[in-house]
Amino acid sequence: MTKIKRIGVFTSGGDAPGMNAAIRAVVRAGMYHNLEVYGIMQGYEGMIGGKIKELKSSHVSGIIQHGGTILKSARSQEFRTYEGRKLAYEQLKAHGIDAVVAIGGDGTFTGAKTFSEEFDIPFVGIPGTIDNDLYGTDFTIGYDTCLNTVMEAVDKIRDTASAHDRMFFIEVMGRDAGFIALNGGLACGAEAVFIPEIESHTENLKSYLEDGFKRKKSSNIILVAEGDEAGGAIEIAKKVQEDMSDYDVRVSILGHIQRGGSPSASDRILATRLGVAAVEALLDDQKSIMVGLVNNKVVHVPFSRTIKHHNAIDLDLVRLIDILNV
Ligand code: F6P
């Protein structure tokens, strides 16, 4: 029988649409299982500073449809130090918290893993990031909403690109991963994508564009992941413009618009399933694991594996971009 009576929940790192739905699920699943649930504000920063308050069912009413996170988020430098983690432990103890649900990405789980090795409070993670780059889950919370935001924005840019016969380099988020650029590109019928997982060749792009030009293709949309090794959209556009002065080139950087907005149905359902799964994993005395979804089934993946590996891009999807541009 578990001794857990009171759990904490927090969000950390870049926020993602659906984090509120996950918080709601954690609170309600906790109450269903007769636990007390405490919300920790501003991620690890709030844990260190003792910004901790009880959450009741009413606190999470009417939040499932909202982007952002009612618990706020932060990236904590102090938690990277042993002293910071010790302060966090003392605060959790002072608030009688026996176990914690961490909602975030790679950095969040790295901190949680280290903490659990040093102190006797179990952590279970829920993958929340628009990047979809976490190993051990098919999808992360926020990714689907983000893709839809990108799709709507690019569709609009396509209208003006086409009206002016222009070439647009559109930069999307993804420091280390190209999921948003690649799948966003497929969803919008982009002519090309630049992603960190694949070496980019602006020369290939040039010959492709020249072919298109001969076929009277007048506008082009190229999605660039911010972490591409060839540089961001501005650098790549500059190189292409220098070599191909006939083209009317423009750049658009979508930025943080990609992190906001009401979560899609898929993200709300994912967040709800994983929120309940995280609470039940703690009750089952699990620790240092992330709950994820693989082939539509809930799975448990040790933090050590999620942190060490990267979610791989399906190279066949890159081939589709080429096939669809004949
Ligand atoms: O990790 C999510 C993410 O949105 C990345 O795609 C992006 O590089 C980063 O966060 C931006 O972080 P910040 O909001 O701190 O600038």
Side-chain angles (χ1 to χ4, degrees), residues 5-31:
K5 300 230 173 320
R6 184 176 290 175
I7 61 170
V9 57
F10 70 98
T11 47
S12 162
D15 65 310
M19 279 184 163
N20 279 327
I23 296 166
R24 171 181 177 268
V26 169
V27 172
R28 299 249 164 110
M31 296 184 76

Side-chain angles (χ1 to χ4, degrees), residues 75 129-131 173-175 226 256 259:
R75 301 186 201 272
T129 163
I130 61 163
D131 292 344
M173 279 190 170
R175 245 188 317 228
E226 63 180 337
H256 286 77
R259 288 237 294 258

Side-chain angles (χ1 to χ4, degrees), residues 2-154:
T2 180
K3 294 193 194 67
I4 296 173
K5 300 230 173 320
R6 184 176 290 175
I7 61 170
V9 57
F10 70 98
T11 47
S12 162
D15 65 310
M19 279 184 163
N20 279 327
I23 296 166
R24 171 181 177 268
V26 169
V27 172
R28 299 249 164 110
M31 296 184 76
Y32 177 86
H33 288 290
N34 298 316
L35 299 173
E36 289 170 344
V37 185
Y38 277 61
I40 302 162
M41 301 300 293
Q42 287 164 339
Y44 290 120
E45 282 294 295
M47 199 182 286
I48 292 168
K51 291 185 189 157
I52 300 171
K53 59 174 191 196
E54 187 169 8
L55 294 175
K56 297 283 196 192
S57 186
S58 59
H59 290 117
V60 293
S61 284
I63 66 167
I64 196 169
Q65 70 273 36
H66 294 305
T69 155
I70 59 160
L71 295 178
K72 302 199 177 279
S73 193
R75 301 186 201 272
S76 172
Q77 287 307 320
E78 203 178 351
F79 197 79
R80 290 171 188 257
T81 66
Y82 176 77
E83 290 69 31
R85 292 191 292 275
K86 189 157 175 291
L87 283 174
Y89 175 72
E90 285 162 5
Q91 286 292 354
L92 292 177
K93 277 285 176 201
H95 286 84
I97 291 172
D98 308 309
V100 177
V101 175
I103 306 170
D106 212 41
T108 306
F109 300 157
T110 305
K113 176 178 174 287
T114 312
F115 181 93
S116 310
E117 284 160 3
E118 295 166 340
F119 303 102
D120 59 353
I121 295 183
F123 274 56
V124 163
I126 297 178
T129 163
I130 61 163
D131 292 344
N132 203 41
D133 57 348
L134 283 171
Y135 178 86
T137 185
D138 288 345
F139 301 105
T140 57
I141 296 166
Y143 172 60
D144 183 66
T145 307
C146 168
L147 271 186
N148 281 292
T149 302
V150 167
M151 185 181 73
E152 279 175 28
V154 175

